[in-house]
Amino acid sequence: MEWAIVYFTRTGNCERIARKLSEMTGYPAIKLVDDVNWSGFLGFIKAGFYALTGKRTRIRLEGELDAERIVLVTPIWAGFITPAARSFLDHFDPSKILLVTVSEVTTPEDVHRSLKRKYNLLGVHGFTRKTNEDETIKRLAETLQKL
């Protein structure tokens, strides 16, 4: 398979985006899970701390990953990618990963600047509260066809 869409979600936003992209492209959406309970207020605080300090978590996929390239959809916590996404990038070839970020305010450009020294990503796209979600998913699907 050419692409797979791997997503990590705490609140369901990344899952919604990954599933819409999957429906539009026909590529499978596979959930990435870790071993940490992120629920509630304490989970929110812990999430920011883990992301800010660059911590990793033990991860697993809820499905078979059989693709040449990967779209990795992840929220941004405290201005950084999630610990699960960081762990995923440590285990897979980043040059075959298109990172898609979902954040209230952090732009994909800010994320790319912070990651480009460590990871040679295929690219970074993103969603913020100012983004038209459906339009951005459509453009992202078109980008996948070109890569």
Side-chain angles (χ1 to χ4, degrees), residues 6-18 31-34 38 73-75 77 82 84 102:
V6 174
Y7 66 93
F8 179 80
T9 193
R10 178 180 175 273
T11 61
N13 292 329
C14 290
E15 180 173 18
R16 183 185 66 251
I17 288 167
K31 187 172 187 178
L32 174 66
V33 295
D34 66 12
W38 304 110
V73 183
T74 184
W77 294 346
T82 60
V102 180

Side-chain angles (χ1 to χ4, degrees), residues 5 7-9 11-24 29 73 102 104 127-128 131 133-134 137:
I5 302 161
Y7 66 93
F8 179 80
T9 193
T11 61
N13 292 329
C14 290
E15 180 173 18
R16 183 185 66 251
I17 288 167
R19 294 212 177 273
K20 283 182 178 182
L21 184 59
S22 176
E23 288 172 14
M24 190 171 286
V73 183
V102 180
E104 285 292 311
F127 295 80
T128 65
T131 304
E133 187 174 292
D134 291 331
I137 291 170

Side-chain angles (χ1 to χ4, degrees), residues 33 58 70 72 78 81 101 112 117-119 126 140:
V33 295
R58 282 184 296 214
I70 300 164
L72 176 59
I81 62 172
T101 62
H112 191 242
R117 279 179 254 134
K118 177 155 177 121
Y119 302 107
L140 182 54

Side-chain angles (χ1 to χ4, degrees), residues 87-100:
S87 297
F88 188 87
L89 290 173
D90 289 345
H91 289 92
F92 292 90
D93 181 357
S95 70
K96 297 181 190 245
I97 296 176
L98 180 69
L99 184 66
V100 175

Side-chain angles (χ1 to χ4, degrees), residues 23-78:
E23 288 172 14
M24 190 171 286
T25 62
Y27 301 132
I30 304 166
K31 187 172 187 178
L32 174 66
V33 295
D34 66 12
D35 62 343
V36 179
N37 178 1
W38 304 110
S39 62
F41 179 73
L42 289 178
F44 174 78
I45 298 299
K46 182 172 31 175
F49 174 75
Y50 270 52
L52 191 62
T53 58
K55 290 191 178 288
R56 271 91 169 146
T57 54
R58 282 184 296 214
I59 58 171
R60 67 180 171 79
L61 294 170
E62 291 187 344
E64 187 69 30
L65 182 59
D66 181 29
E68 297 170 26
R69 295 178 286 182
I70 300 164
V71 176
L72 176 59
V73 183
T74 184
I76 296 299
W77 294 346

